[in-house]
Amino acid sequence: MGLWHGDDLDLTAYFARIGFTGRPEPTPATLRDMHRAHTTSIPFENLEIMLGRDVPLDLDSLQRKLVRSARGGYCFEHAALFAAALERIGFRFTALTARVTLGGDPVTRPATHALLVVEFDDGARFLCDVGFGRGPLEPIELVAGPEHDQSGWRFRLSASPTDDLFRTESWILWQHDGEWIDRHTFTLNPQFPIDFHVGNHFVHTSSSSPFTKRPFVQRFTESEHRTLDGTTLTTTTPDGGRAVHESSPEDLPQLLADVFAIELDATDSSTLAATESARQAAATA
């Protein structure tokens, strides 16, 4: 039994969920196509937290929610599911965690973003970041410097062989949004499922976590990135286009279905609308 329980993954159902029709073999081409398919098919969302429920990372729960239901998840869920698929196919990889900075000081940011690095026999290593909600579309080779243009979305990596802060090799993933923004910083210190569980606990229970405060949903494709923050829907495009639409708590279930392909039952729909309405009322009181 592997660390990520890949043998228990319903690979056929997972491939159907993400629309992957290639060969399940541990090659760079398969990795690229799986990464693009996963990133553009399963949305990012924190709705279980808003509905007052736990966010388990066991494979049965991940398959039930992200594969067999019209739902999504956040980084730990995405990365753990992707890790199970990679393990099942035979890829060699290391799980990592990153500190989301977005221009902030990494010292003040917990390591609560989940990543994977896949390594091939020729020594090439590729960063897989399927759970950020905003790309990249494809794996990025772990080489500092080159800019990666992926259907107009731009990324690059920088590195410090001996970082003064972390005392080890550290990396920064940059994304271009009108200007280059440092998205997150990470080291190559291996993480294991238990480490994902610890980070996941903070993300879905701590009052310091942004995901315990309001609905936050993302859907990313080659042509656009859509974000729902509370009841504010923002759509951006690779050329810098930006459109903002304000909605209401009562409209959230339909908006989730129409824009993010997320389906909630009647009870969850009512709970989400009521919870967000109460949050907004408290914020303006």
Side-chain angles (χ1 to χ4, degrees):
M1 177 69 69
L3 276 176
W4 303 95
H5 298 274
D7 288 344
D8 295 330
L9 177 68
D10 185 341
L11 195 62
T12 299
Y14 171 69
F15 283 165
R17 174 71 165 106
I18 66 174
F20 176 79
T21 58
R23 295 175 60 86
E25 54 190 15
T27 65
T30 294
L31 181 67
R32 181 193 64 234
D33 293 346
M34 282 179 57
H35 193 292
R36 180 177 283 259
H38 183 118
T39 303
T40 57
S41 298
I42 307 179
F44 179 107
E45 50 114 321
N46 70 332
L47 299 179
E48 290 297 277
I49 304 172
M50 298 300 101
L51 294 169
R53 293 196 286 258
D54 193 17
V55 182
L57 294 183
D58 64 278
L59 187 59
D60 284 344
S61 297
L62 294 175
Q63 292 190 101
R64 184 166 54 251
K65 181 172 176 241
L66 276 69
V67 175
R68 300 192 178 99
S69 303
R71 291 291 305 275
Y74 52 61
C75 65
F76 287 108
E77 297 171 276
H78 280 274
L81 178 62
F82 199 67
L86 296 181
E87 186 177 76
R88 172 69 178 273
I89 294 169
F91 284 97
R92 186 170 68 252
F93 64 92
T94 302
L96 308 173
T97 53
R99 301 173 189 274
V100 178
T101 50
L102 297 175
D105 184 352
V107 172
T108 66
R109 309 298 173 93
T112 54
H113 180 54
L115 303 165
L116 304 170
V117 167
V118 175
E119 182 175 349
F120 292 97
D121 290 341
D122 62 1
R125 298 175 297 176
F126 290 84
L127 177 68
C128 294
D129 191 0
V130 297
F132 197 82
R134 195 256 184 228
L137 287 166
E138 298 177 358
I140 295 177
E141 187 170 6
L142 209 61
V143 174
E147 178 182 327
H148 301 267
D149 187 318
Q150 299 181 351
S151 301
W153 305 103
R154 297 161 62 191
F155 305 91
R156 64 180 175 87
L157 285 165
S158 62
S160 174
T162 305
D163 186 88
D164 290 338
L165 179 61
F166 297 110
R167 310 297 187 190
T168 188
E169 180 183 26
S170 65
W171 295 80
I172 299 173
L173 178 64
W174 300 77
Q175 65 185 45
H176 195 273
D177 287 315
E179 61 180 349
W180 286 105
I181 299 171
D182 54 306
R183 185 159 101 177
H184 49 63
T185 183
F186 60 96
T187 69
L188 301 182
N189 181 40
Q191 303 292 290
F192 303 99
I194 186 62
D195 300 306
F196 275 21
H197 282 280
V198 171
N200 177 55
H201 180 74
F202 173 89
V203 168
H204 82 267
T205 64
S206 174
S207 61
S208 298
S209 168
F211 299 131
T212 62
K213 303 183 186 308
R214 81 287 188 210
F216 191 75
V217 185
Q218 299 180 88
R219 192 173 186 187
F220 185 68
T221 67
E222 293 181 356
S223 60
E224 61 185 13
H225 173 227
R226 290 181 171 179
T227 303
L228 180 67
D229 190 341
T231 53
T232 302
L233 175 66
T234 303
T235 303
T236 57
T237 55
D239 60 5
R242 179 182 175 88
V244 179
H245 172 74
E246 296 294 339
S247 188
S248 68
E250 294 73 23
D251 293 333
L252 281 178
Q254 194 63 51
L255 184 65
L256 289 169
D258 292 345
V259 177
F260 297 94
I262 292 174
E263 297 178 4
L264 302 179
D265 62 26
T267 299
D268 285 351
S269 294
S270 297
T271 299
L272 180 65
T275 300
E276 179 58 13
S277 181
R279 183 190 73 84
Q280 291 187 6
T284 57

